[in-house]
Each structure stands twice: as structure tokens, then as C-alpha cells.
């Protein structure tokens, strides 16, 4: 009887210790959250990267400067285990671009070539226009309506907090040139994949490759696309398009990573970050200097604690998200230790406030995740019961290989006003909303890092319908 009482006493004492540790973690997470709301590091990083480095297209001198900048930043902030992983990545460089309406009257058009488009002949292409109001309408049209013409697609994008309109409208950019080429078109112009009414056009990658049959392609500013749509109802249109670009098949890019080393389980790693590259037309403030800044500042704040959390926090600056490649390279570099990657998350939807949290399947009942939901609530972030998925383009490879992901969903209502444009500049970043992002990431990641939560095990044990 005495042995049983002693055992019960020991169990009770252990439970009290665990409870006390969890309570302390909540207090620390809340303190980190509140400190982050007034911290300026994320703003300073965003300002530095966009001002002193500028546009960062793969293969450009700006991207090489950005690589060196990332290493120097990590060193200055006290991160350890800094790595630069190089991988092969063909680079594309934009040349001179122009477009003009020739008939029914002359008018210069504001365009930007789609990323990795092939060029036109030096003299340009002039042809009659085949205009379609949607991508689906173009695909359904007979080849006879398209052959020898410049296709124009004027499909608009719907504004949504979760950015859901991007996938629907973006197919014109991603697949339009290849599908128009199949039908005999000589070039393609699309209404920018944009939620704004600006004349500033939006670039973005299109389908490309040595074995891809495609045509020169560019995006129009929104008002001009609408003008062409109105004119096409009155009679035939003719456009002249010139696009110049070069491709270097032997170029490289880099993923840069650094750690806040765990105090007790340093081999268990939480991966967070953003992408370092940007398109060449702006300074990439929303896309994605802000993501770099948010996750770096969050890890730095955690690293300033008197004692680091149990697990290692690894921040990654992915080097080729816009034109692809960094996800596969990161997966290849981590194939031997995927089981040690506890969780991954990416910040890549600008700098406006986070409004919801999505967790790996089956994990919401764990004490650390209950604490996270509680800690994020004062930031006006709600828990979305749908399990996290599609955590980011750069973590897509490791997510597909089984690494659990988290979604800290940002308000994308105005993100696609500036995405991939010359207007993606520092003045679009709201410091207060940026700080809210840092507060959310800091408190959440700390709670995961100082816990024993096993997202894989919880997901495997969850009912098939969990989270739905």
C-alpha cells in the first residue's frame, strides 16, 4: 500500500511539474508575442533588402548580392550553422519590350513580358487579334479562329481574403502560351493576373523548357485589357509586339539557411522562412522580402531568450521560388534527415495581418497547440479546423515527402494589387501589420520548439474525417 501511495505521489508531482512547465511556456510565448508587436527588426530587414539590394531575379547581379546579404545578416544576428546550398538553375534575363495597338488606331500599350517567355523576332510580331474573355473560351475555340493571330485573354481576377482568385485567373499566364501555340497563335497577351485597376502590368512565370512548344507572351495593364475588349466588339484589332530576352542554361541559385540551435533536442528541427529571389520589375517588398523579414525576426527574438527552446529553429532564404527550383533542391539536400524535420512553414503572401491558423491534422488537442490557439487569439487570429496543406511553394517538396506543415494565413485582399509588379515596393508594407505577423510566428514557433509534440504521430492517429 505504501508503495502504491509513493507511486501516486510521484505521478502527481510529475504532473504538477509538466503543468508548471506548460504554464511557463505560455507565459514566455505571450511575452514574445507582446515584444514582437513593438520590435523593429522585421521592418529594418525589409527596408535593407529592398533598398540596398533591390530586384533579385535568379541569375542577376542583384541575386548574387542578395546571397551575400543573407549570409551577412544571419552572422550579424547571431545565427549559427549558416549554409549556402548551390543548385543548378537556368536563368532568364529580360530585354527591351514594347507593344502597340496598330488598328483601328495607334496606341501604345503598357506591357511586361511573362517570366521566361521566349522572345519575338528582332523586328517584332504584328498580327490581327483573336480576343477571348476567358481562358476556357480560348481553349474551346476552333484553331481556325486563332491560327496566325495574337491571342488576347481578358479574364479578370476576383479579390479574396485567402487569394483564391489567383489560381483561377492565373491559368491564363501559366498555360496560356502553350495552349495558344497548339492552336497556331503567334503570340499571347493576357490581362494581368491582378486585383487592381492599375495600368501597371504584372509579370510571373509561364510554362517553359527545352521541350516546351510555346509563343512570346506578355501581360497588359488592366485598363488597357478592358479597352481592347471594348474595341474588339466594334471591329478587328491589330497589335505589334516586341519582346527580347536571353537564357543562360548553365546558371545557378542558392538556398541559404541558419539556425537558432535547440537546447535539449538540437537534431529536431523546425523549418521556417521565405524566398529571397524576386522578379526584376520591382524591389520585391511584399514578395517576398517581408516573408524573409518576418521569419528571421521571429527566430531572432526566440534566440534572445536566456535559454533557447528544446528544438532547433532553422530559417531558410529560398533562392528560386519565382521560377521554381528551390523546393526540389531543398528536398534533395534534406532527404537523409526528413524524419528530423518536425514542422515546416513559409511566409509568402505579403505583409498584411495573419487572420487564421491551420495546424497539421489531429494536433489541435495537444497542450502546446491549445496554448498556441490561446496565445494567437489576442492578435485576432482564429483557429481554422481544416488541416494545414500546401504550406508554401518552397516547402512543397518536403511536404510531399511527409514533413508536417503549418499555415499562418495572411490577408491577401490587396496582395495581388502589387504582386509581380514595379509597384511591389517598401511603401506598400504596413509596419503595424508586419509586426502582427512577427508576433504570431514568434509565439507559435516557440511553443512548438519547446514542446514534445509529434505531428506525424498525431496525424496518423487521427480519424480520417478529423479537421473537416
Amino acid at each position: 500500500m505504501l508503495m502504491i501511495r509513493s507511486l501516486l505521489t510521484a505521478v502527481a508531482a510529475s504532473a504538477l511539474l509538466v503543468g508548471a512547465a506548460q504554464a511557463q511556456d505560455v507565459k514566455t510565448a505571450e511575452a514574445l508575442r507582446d515584444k514582437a508587436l513593438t520590435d523593429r527588426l522585421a521592418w529594418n530587414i525589409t527596408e535593407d533588402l529592398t533598398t540596398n539590394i533591390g530586384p533579385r531575379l535568379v541569375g542577376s547581379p542583384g541575386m548574387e548580392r542578395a546571397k551575400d546579404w543573407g549570409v551577412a545578416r544571419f552572422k550579424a544576428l547571431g545565427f549559427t550553422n549558416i549554409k549556402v546550398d548551390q543548385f543548378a538553375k537556368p536563368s532568364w534575363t529580360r530585354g527591351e519590350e514594347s507593344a502597340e495597338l496598330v488598328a483601328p488606331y495607334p496606341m501604345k500599350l503598357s506591357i511586361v513580358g511573362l517570366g521566361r517567355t521566349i522572345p519575338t523576332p528582332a523586328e517584332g510580331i504584328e498580327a490581327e487579334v483573336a480576343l477571348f474573355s476567358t481562358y476556357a473560351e480560348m481553349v474551346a475555340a476552333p484553331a481556325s479562329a486563332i491560327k496566325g493571330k495574337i491571342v488576347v485573354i481578358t479574364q479578370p481576377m476576383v479579390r479574396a481574403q485567402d487569394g483564391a482568385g489567383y489560381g483561377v485567373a492565373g491559368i491564363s499566364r501559366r498555360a496560356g502560351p502553350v495552349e495558344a501555340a497548339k492552336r497556331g497563335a503567334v503570340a499571347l497577351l493576357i490581362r494581368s493576373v491582378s486585383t487592381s485597376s492599375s495600368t501597371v502590368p504584372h509579370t510571373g512565370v509561364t510554362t517553359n523548357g527545352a521541350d516546351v512548344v510555346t509563343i512570346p507572351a506578355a501581360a497588359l495593364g488592366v485598363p488597357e485589357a478592358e479597352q481592347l475588349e471594348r474595341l474588339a466588339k466594334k471591329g478587328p484589332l491589330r497589335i505589334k509586339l516586341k519582346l527580347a530576352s536571353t537564357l543562360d542554361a548553365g546558371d545557378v541559385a542558392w538556398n541559404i539557411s541558419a539556425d537558432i540551435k535547440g537546447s535539449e533536442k538540437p537534431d529536431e528541427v523546425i523549418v521556417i522562412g521565405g524566398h529571397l529571389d524576386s522578379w526584376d520589375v520591382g524591389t520585391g517588398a511584399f514578395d517576398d522580402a517581408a516573408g524573409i523579414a518576418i521569419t528571421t525576426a521571429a527566430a531572432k527574438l526566440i534566440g534572445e531568450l536566456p535559454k533557447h527552446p528544446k528544438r532547433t529553429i532553422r530559417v531558410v532564404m529560398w533562392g528560386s521560388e519565382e521560377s521554381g527550383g528551390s523546393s526540389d533542391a531543398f528536398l534533395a539536400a534534406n532527404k537523409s534527415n526528413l524524419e528530423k524535420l518536425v514542422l515546416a512553414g513559409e511566409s509568402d503572401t505579403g505583409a498584411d495581418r495573419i487572420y487564421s491558423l491551420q495546424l497539421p491534422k489531429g494536433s489541435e488537442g495537444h497542450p502546446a497547440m491549445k496554448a498556441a490557439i490561446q496565445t494567437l487569439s489576442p492578435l485576432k487570429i482564429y483557429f481554422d479546423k481544416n488541416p494545414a496543406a500546401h504550406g508554401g511553394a518552397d516547402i512543397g517538396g518536403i511536404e510531399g515527402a511527409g514533413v508536417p506543415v503549418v499555415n499562418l494565413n495572411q490577408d491577401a485582399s490587396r496582395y495581388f494589387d502589387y504582386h509581380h509588379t514595379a509597384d511591389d515596393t517598401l511603401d506598400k508594407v504596413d509596419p503595424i501589420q508586419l509586426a502582427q505577423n512577427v508576433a504570431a510566428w514568434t509565439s507559435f514557433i516557440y511553443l512548438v520548439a519547446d514542446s514534445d509534440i509529434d505531428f506525424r504521430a498525431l496525424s496518423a492517429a487521427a480519424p480520417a474525417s478529423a479537421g473537416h
Side-chain angles (χ1 to χ4, degrees):
M1 190 71 174
L2 183 60
M3 184 180 294
I4 293 173
R5 284 177 181 170
S6 298
L7 181 60
L8 290 173
T9 300
V11 169
S14 176
L16 284 172
L17 286 171
V18 170
Q22 289 170 351
Q24 183 57 50
D25 272 353
V26 171
K27 286 182 179 179
T28 302
E30 290 173 343
L32 286 167
R33 176 198 67 200
D34 295 344
K35 184 178 180 181
L37 290 172
T38 60
D39 187 76
R40 294 281 295 179
L41 180 57
W43 174 264
N44 293 340
I45 291 172
T46 308
E47 181 182 42
D48 188 19
L49 182 53
T50 56
T51 303
N52 294 318
I53 305 300
R56 307 171 296 282
L57 188 65
V58 168
S60 70
M63 188 61 223
E64 182 131 11
R65 292 196 307 273
K67 179 253 295 181
D68 295 339
W69 173 93
V71 171
R73 263 294 186 174
F74 278 142
K75 285 181 180 176
L77 292 171
F79 285 77
T80 59
N81 191 33
I82 300 169
K83 291 183 178 179
V84 178
D85 291 323
Q86 181 174 297
F87 56 95
K89 180 61 197 180
S91 64
W92 174 89
T93 303
R94 186 186 310 279
E96 295 204 12
E97 301 173 332
S98 66
E100 57 183 315
L101 180 67
V102 176
Y105 54 76
M107 181 177 76
K108 185 178 179 180
L109 300 171
S110 298
I111 62 133
V112 64
L114 299 185
R116 299 191 167 251
T117 180
I118 63 170
T120 64
E123 68 276 13
I125 294 171
E126 182 179 327
E128 187 176 338
V129 167
L131 188 143
F132 302 96
S133 59
T134 66
Y135 171 82
E137 185 182 316
M138 186 271 288
V139 171
S144 58
I146 293 174
K147 189 174 182 179
K149 296 181 179 179
I150 295 177
V151 167
V152 175
I153 302 175
T154 59
Q155 182 164 332
M157 179 179 167
V158 174
R159 189 184 299 275
Q161 185 181 42
D162 64 357
Y166 183 56
V168 177
I171 193 170
S172 297
R173 189 195 79 207
R174 296 188 301 271
V178 169
E179 291 303 317
K182 288 178 183 177
R183 292 157 177 80
V186 295
L188 172 74
L189 291 173
I190 65 166
R191 171 179 169 144
S192 285
V193 185
S194 168
T195 48
S196 81
S197 58
S198 173
T199 57
V200 176
H202 295 229
T203 188
V205 75
T206 189
T207 305
N208 62 85
D211 57 348
V212 174
V213 177
T214 185
I215 51 177
L220 291 155
V222 169
E224 290 172 351
E226 293 176 343
Q227 177 81 332
L228 295 182
E229 195 169 34
R230 290 189 294 269
L231 285 171
K233 294 175 182 177
K234 301 177 184 297
L237 309 179
R238 288 186 71 81
I239 285 176
K240 184 171 184 179
L241 175 68
K242 286 186 179 181
L243 299 175
S245 61
T246 55
L247 189 70
D248 182 350
D251 221 329
V252 297
W254 310 273
N255 289 333
I256 305 154
S257 62
D259 293 353
I260 298 296
K261 186 177 179 181
S263 58
E264 296 180 24
K265 301 176 181 179
D267 60 332
E268 295 186 12
V269 178
I270 300 158
V271 174
I272 61 175
H275 65 84
L276 189 56
D277 65 318
S278 77
W279 284 109
D280 54 321
V281 291
T283 59
F286 258 28
D287 189 22
D288 186 33
I292 293 283
I294 289 162
T295 50
T296 301
K300 169 61 175 171
L301 283 167
I302 296 170
E304 290 174 349
L305 291 170
K307 180 185 177 184
H308 285 185
K310 298 173 185 177
R311 291 163 161 168
T312 293
I313 300 165
R314 180 162 299 153
V315 180
V316 187
M317 300 180 183
W318 283 283
S320 180
E321 188 271 348
E322 296 296 2
S323 52
S326 47
S327 173
D328 289 344
F330 192 70
L331 172 62
N334 286 276
K335 270 195 170 176
S336 63
N337 65 323
L338 286 172
E339 74 284 352
K340 292 295 186 180
L341 302 185
V342 173
L343 183 71
E346 182 173 3
S347 177
D348 186 21
T349 318
D352 285 351
R353 59 177 293 273
I354 293 169
Y355 67 91
S356 73
L357 168 71
Q358 290 175 289
L359 298 171
K361 178 182 174 183
S363 63
E364 64 269 23
H366 189 280
M369 294 301 93
K370 287 182 177 180
I373 293 167
Q374 170 190 324
T375 305
L376 295 183
S377 180
L379 298 173
K380 297 184 178 178
I381 298 171
Y382 71 86
F383 170 57
D384 182 340
K385 291 185 179 181
N386 291 302
H390 312 297
D394 293 305
I395 58 175
I398 60 170
E399 180 181 358
V403 175
V405 299
V406 62
N407 291 343
L408 287 157
N409 297 309
Q410 294 163 291
D411 186 346
S413 299
R414 69 185 186 114
Y415 178 67
F416 293 100
D417 289 359
Y418 310 116
H419 178 251
H420 296 174
T421 75
D423 277 344
D424 184 3
T425 48
L426 183 64
D427 59 300
K428 309 307 183 306
V429 177
D430 177 352
I432 294 174
Q433 295 192 71
L434 181 71
Q436 186 258 13
N437 275 259
V438 179
W441 278 92
T442 306
S443 52
F444 177 81
I445 293 301
Y446 169 77
L447 286 165
V448 176
D450 208 47
S451 76
D452 61 354
I453 188 168
D454 184 340
F455 291 108
R456 289 177 175 85
L458 291 170
S459 178
S465 60
H468 295 284

